[in-house]
Amino acid sequence: LPILVIGGGHVGCEVAADIAIKCPDTQVIFATGNSGLLANHSQWQVDYATKFFEKLSNVVVYNERCKEVEEEGGGRRVFLLQKSDAKVEVDVVIQCTGFGKPNTRFLVDSEVRLNAQGKIEVDSETLAVKIGDNEENSECIYAAGDCIDKPSNHQMAMFAHFEGEFCARQILRNSAGLPLRKFGVPPEKCFALSLGPRDGFISLLGYTVMWGRVVPLAKRLVRWGWFSVVPWLPKYPLWIDSKRKVPTRNDSDKNKA
């Protein structure tokens, strides 16, 4: 049962590593694209991931793009590697390259501004959606995640989480008649990459601060704490905002009177 994993970024590396280790009898064909493994990362991190996959006998890595071709018979999907012109037949394909255009077609006829790629244009300081052609920002509509116009290296779960949390705070402040806050972008290149259940590395501000067997465990603990413990802490801003009564603009006008 050959499996083709397309995309050499964080998700592609983790998916290919998990399948190869947990299913040692399955052949994994890993097409990373022309840029190879972990593009825009340090050479040490690229070499670490490369050596990891070289040690796995059931993984074949191709640093080139591929496209599906139609061939009759066999029942398997056939892909053509664009540099070597080699063909591979697989039963399962896992796409880990992301999507070039977001699903924003429903906004085409609205006043929300979209760029050439179909991404929503927002104010970089408030994440308010831009409206019309006069550089105006919406007073009550915000957007977050990969659907907004932002640097490609910010298209990660970490940034989407902070953006979503920030937008929730903006909505609460807007409903209370309070001034909007400025968005503080979290540090870049702060991530944990697990390579199977017993390997990986953690990068902080471009520096590799941890690697080896402890990384997957540390990643699971951080994820558990972030989603299971942090929301229940009494000083967690969203928890406080969600429990208290949010004043309206009318309440603010009454207080002024």
Side-chain angles (χ1 to χ4, degrees), residues 158 161-162 190-193 201-204 209-210 214-231 233:
M158 177 187 70
H161 176 91
F162 280 102
C190 177
F191 65 91
L193 180 74
F201 59 82
I202 295 178
S203 177
L204 180 62
V209 296
M210 186 183 297
V214 71
V215 170
L217 175 60
K219 187 175 180 179
R220 287 195 292 269
L221 288 174
V222 170
R223 184 182 296 141
W224 174 80
W226 187 262
F227 291 105
S228 302
V229 178
V230 172
L233 296 179

Side-chain angles (χ1 to χ4, degrees), residues 35-53:
S35 55
L37 289 174
L38 300 177
N40 302 322
H41 288 73
S42 70
Q43 190 59 46
W44 187 94
Q45 295 169 356
V46 173
D47 292 341
Y48 192 92
T50 301
K51 293 177 181 178
F52 171 84
F53 285 107

Side-chain angles (χ1 to χ4, degrees), residues 164-176 178 181 231 233-247:
E165 184 178 294
F166 178 81
C167 286
R169 289 198 181 103
Q170 294 290 67
I171 293 171
L172 290 173
R173 294 181 67 83
N174 187 43
S175 65
L178 300 174
R181 291 179 176 175
L233 296 179
K235 294 183 180 180
Y236 186 59
L238 275 184
W239 186 86
I240 295 175
D241 289 341
S242 65
K243 295 297 183 182
R244 70 179 176 83
K245 179 181 181 297
V246 179

